[in-house]
Amino acid sequence: MIEAILFAITIVLPNLALIGLGFFMQRRGEVSQAFIDQASSFVFNYCLPCLLFFSVVDSNVNYAKQIILIIAGIVVTFILFISSEIYAKRFISQPADQGVFVQGIFRSNMAIIGLATVANAYGEQGLSIAAVYMGVVTILFNILAVITLSRVSKSADDTWPSRSIMIIKKLFTNPLVLALLAAFAYKALPLPPIPSVINTTGGLLAAVALPLALICAGASIDLKSMLSPSGLSMQASIGRIVIAPLVAIAVGLGFGLTGMHMGVLFLMVASPTAAASYVMAKAMGGNDILAANILAFTTVVGLFGMAIGAALLRGLGMM
């Protein structure tokens, strides 16, 4: 059991340290909101796409064998989405709160916390598997987020066809999705090796992605919002930190996942609420204060939940 606890600390502590560094720098006034916004944009548009592209291109993983893992992730996402929708419609009266609550539960921060934790746990092979998983589930996340947040729209021009067009535009202008599609195409086609200069440059950008993203996440934490959660934000946080990982474990066992595949599923699902959930809630008229509270609380507390879950799964020989 001691080995399992050390494993959990090893995969979570580096992420927590970088988030803590970002928060420390913010408190000292060493980073501004403008820097956070610009650095986050740089990571999202350039560094993470390079990380995903080269993780897939340089790996020898047989992606056909990851189908069961991906299906399990899709099932987990639908279970969390449908159950939180039912709960929101029954117990939450304000439409502006309902979609934010639902998104806070089903949408995890796979691109930053999830990938970083999987990389710490399983290295390059795990990162490649997680990148493919993320590529597929991210598409589903975006579609479900638009569906649940659209209930607050009051625009006459906002119809299901217009929402469908918006979803398609978001997917095919998303740098992460484009990077994965490009990587799959490169692997499938008989193309020459990537020149070493491009490979080295891409590798340098990829190396920046996760550390800088975690520092920006830490610098974005608002203690006032995190320590003064509303009843709804606490309920959503429990759903993300406690219920979502339990659903992932149950579904993983149901699909017969073990070892690395169970670990990837657990870590990707157990990650805190995605940072994009706040941006999307604000853009679509949802309760952005509630979204910020959920994001802040799960970002800090969720990492400890991931460590506890990983230690238990490792101790039971399931991860």
Side-chain angles (χ1 to χ4, degrees):
M1 193 62 189
I2 293 176
E3 187 272 337
I5 294 172
L6 291 175
F7 171 77
I9 293 173
T10 300
I11 66 175
V12 172
L13 190 58
N15 297 349
L16 193 59
L18 287 173
I19 289 174
L21 175 61
F23 179 73
F24 176 75
M25 293 172 67
Q26 175 220 57
R27 298 291 287 182
R28 286 174 57 89
E30 294 174 344
V31 293
S32 64
Q33 188 59 48
F35 171 82
I36 295 170
D37 293 341
Q38 291 169 349
S40 298
S41 177
F42 172 63
V43 168
F44 182 74
N45 289 299
Y46 300 100
C47 299
L48 273 176
C50 283
L51 175 66
L52 298 179
F53 179 84
F54 287 103
S55 293
V56 172
V57 167
D58 294 339
S59 73
N60 294 316
V61 174
N62 184 343
Y63 295 107
K65 294 183 179 179
Q66 315 313 320
I67 295 297
I68 294 177
L69 169 63
I70 292 170
I71 293 173
I74 292 171
V75 170
V76 171
T77 302
F78 272 116
I79 289 174
L80 293 174
F81 176 78
I82 293 170
S83 58
S84 56
E85 276 282 342
I86 293 170
Y87 184 94
K89 287 180 179 179
R90 183 169 182 179
F91 296 107
I92 302 174
S93 57
Q94 296 298 319
D97 295 340
Q98 292 173 344
V100 172
F101 174 87
V102 172
Q103 188 182 211
I105 292 176
F106 82 80
R107 191 171 191 174
S108 63
N109 194 337
M110 299 185 295
I112 299 173
I113 307 293
L115 286 181
T117 312
V118 169
N120 292 341
Y122 300 113
E124 291 297 323
Q125 185 181 14
L127 186 60
S128 300
I129 293 171
V132 177
Y133 173 96
M134 192 202 78
V136 176
V137 178
T138 293
I139 295 172
L140 182 59
F141 276 4
N142 280 281
I143 294 171
L144 296 180
V146 171
I147 290 172
T148 194
L149 291 168
S150 63
R151 74 185 87 213
V152 299
S153 175
K154 295 180 175 61
S155 171
D157 296 329
D158 190 10
T159 60
W160 277 111
S162 68
R163 292 172 199 163
S164 300
I165 292 172
M166 180 177 70
I167 292 171
I168 293 170
K169 285 182 178 179
K170 280 183 174 291
L171 293 178
F172 287 98
T173 57
N174 186 312
L176 308 186
V177 174
L178 293 177
L180 287 166
L181 291 176
F184 294 145
Y186 182 86
K187 293 276 282 188
L189 298 173
L191 297 174
I194 297 174
S196 60
V197 173
I198 296 176
N199 207 40
T200 301
T201 304
L204 291 172
L205 283 171
V208 172
L210 298 177
L212 184 55
L214 291 169
I215 290 171
C216 288
S220 301
I221 291 174
D222 184 343
L223 272 184
K224 184 177 180 181
S225 295
M226 189 188 79
L227 297 177
S228 303
S230 66
L232 281 182
S233 69
M234 183 58 70
Q235 291 172 51
S237 297
I238 291 171
R240 172 101 302 273
I241 296 169
V242 179
I243 296 175
L246 292 176
V247 171
I249 294 170
V251 171
L253 290 173
F255 277 87
L257 297 180
T258 57
M260 187 184 301
H261 288 100
M262 174 63 92
V264 169
L265 178 67
F266 172 79
L267 294 174
M268 297 297 269
V269 174
S271 296
T273 299
S277 64
Y278 170 78
V279 177
M280 205 157 191
K282 192 175 182 66
M284 296 189 66
N287 186 340
D288 57 306
I289 296 175
L290 175 61
N293 287 343
I294 296 170
L295 174 61
F297 191 83
T298 59
T299 296
V300 176
V301 180
L303 286 170
F304 294 100
M306 292 175 76
I308 294 170
L312 291 174
L313 289 176
R314 187 77 166 187
L316 294 171
M318 297 165 57
M319 178 176 172

